[in-house]
Amino acid sequence: ARELGAEIVTTADEDIVEGILRVAREQQATQILIGKTTHRLPFAAGLVDKLIERSGELDIYVVGGEDSPETSRRRYRFPEIHSGIQQYLISVAIVLAISLALVPLRPALGYQTISLILLLTVVLLPLKLGAGPVLLAAVLSAIIWDFFFIPPQMTFAIDHLHDVMMFGLYFCVAAVTGVLTARIRAKERAVRVREQHASALYGLTKDLSVARSLDEVVRAAVESIKKYFQSDAVVLLSQTDGDIFTEAHPASTFIIDQRDFGVAAWVYWNEKDAGRFTDTLPSTRATFYPLSGPRYPLGVVGVHDPSGKRLTADQEALLRSFLGQISSAIEREQLHDLARKTLVVAESERLYKTLFDSLSHEFRTPVAAILGATDQLQQERQFADGPNAEIVKDMHDAATRLNHLVQNLLDMTRLESGLLKIKRDWCDVGDLVGTAVRKVEDLLRNYRMTIQVAESLPLIRADQGLLEQALVNILHNVSVHAIGATEVTISANVDQDDCVLVVSDNGQGIPPAELEKVFGKFYRGQGAKRGGTGLGLSIAQGIVLAHGGTLWCANRSGGGAQFILRLPLGSPPPSVALT
């Protein structure tokens, strides 16, 4: 039932039907499933009939099937002896001893008084013995009283009617009194067990609540299992990222071997009990239980009793309650550690962004000065045609690259900080493409450019400056990384409710393993040329996503790569009245 996800509830009650109905109402159940009873006493209401009669608003479902030969054999076997042979022998010995002591006292006391003494003996036996030994003592004392004390003695015959009635009443009183006393003792034991369980759970909860680290939680769990179950325990915790454990916790009191470790791994992945006293891998020395969490398994606990005894049903229920509390405490500490690490990472990220933004802005002024100076030098004849022209050109190219890098860093900072504001306005896609191509015409001078913009393409409402930057970054990436490409094509058309921009080349394409990675921040493909930081495509995708669009890449069937940019068209632009 536990493997199927059921919760086991154990209770004690004088009436089975009342106990079932009480637990059902406490658990707010609406349906009760019960097995069909195939045998019962004549003229007596069965368990199912009583349930249906008293169920009230609860629905009763009776399930059953054909009996197997094994079930039939089990039904008629002798009842199990729960009190132990020793208790039965003790009850017989006590009755015989009292009877022998009363034999010489019969003339003085009379057989009626002797019956009361024997009855007192039977009433006192349940204080130490179970119901079975008490019933045996009641039957034996009645027989001894009849045979040795009721006239005529040494026979089972009874001459007087009042002696017959006294004998019957004696037997009934002895049996009923003994059984009732045994029931009271059983209830007392049940209350004591519940009290012990409640005390054990309280002690474990208290120890776990004061634990301030994962190690203290595991240590408290191992000590509690040792204290309340007299068993050694081994704890194997999963890693922070949810991966399987690699070794046992140092606080464990039971050392496992390689076979036990394999069983623990099976329990971790399947989240089911295994090991000794189970149907799965029972040859191991310990019983392994999973520590389940809401996201992934938290680990495994192995319990080993040095005496080799199996846990009772009550002990197993208590152990599972222990495991639930231990799992909650472990998850609490893991979440606490994760929150602490997240706070450290957040503070580091904030400091990183602050320094990043400050340095990027500080770079812009000197870079702009260098660009302005090199532009002025290139316009002067002595530097444009002289021997220093190549040096001036290299300075201008380096300053341009540095300016592009700083711009990318600033754009990435704005994207990640959420400060990027979209200023939408009506813009023409043809103008957007033309402006972007002119900004990188020096980089694309070795490629044959083809621009195809559909005449029916309407205006789109977007931030033209940001979209130009995204398209510039894509074209810059093509110019640097499109190995073997000689032609670059830019097409724009309408596909349903979207404007689709496609930038393609006829190079070698992108390795399939890198198609999902090229938009990652600071990612540079295998065999990429020197230079660049891997931010261009990441910034372009961020800009497109901020417009509510999508950007991805794919390889063309005829060779080469293509970047597909889709932007929603939205409502059509307002019409302009001509006067």
Side-chain angles (χ1 to χ4, degrees), residues 414-433:
R414 292 166 61 197
L415 282 172
E416 292 186 344
S417 62
L419 299 178
L420 182 66
K421 303 298 181 183
I422 304 297
K423 298 179 180 179
R424 297 181 181 273
D425 199 359
W426 296 107
C427 59
D428 182 82
V429 176
D431 292 342
L432 185 151
V433 172

Side-chain angles (χ1 to χ4, degrees), residues 117-137:
I117 296 175
L118 291 175
L119 181 61
L120 177 63
T121 302
V122 175
V123 171
L124 294 178
L125 285 179
L127 297 178
K128 294 296 182 180
L129 305 180
V134 172
L135 287 175
L136 177 61

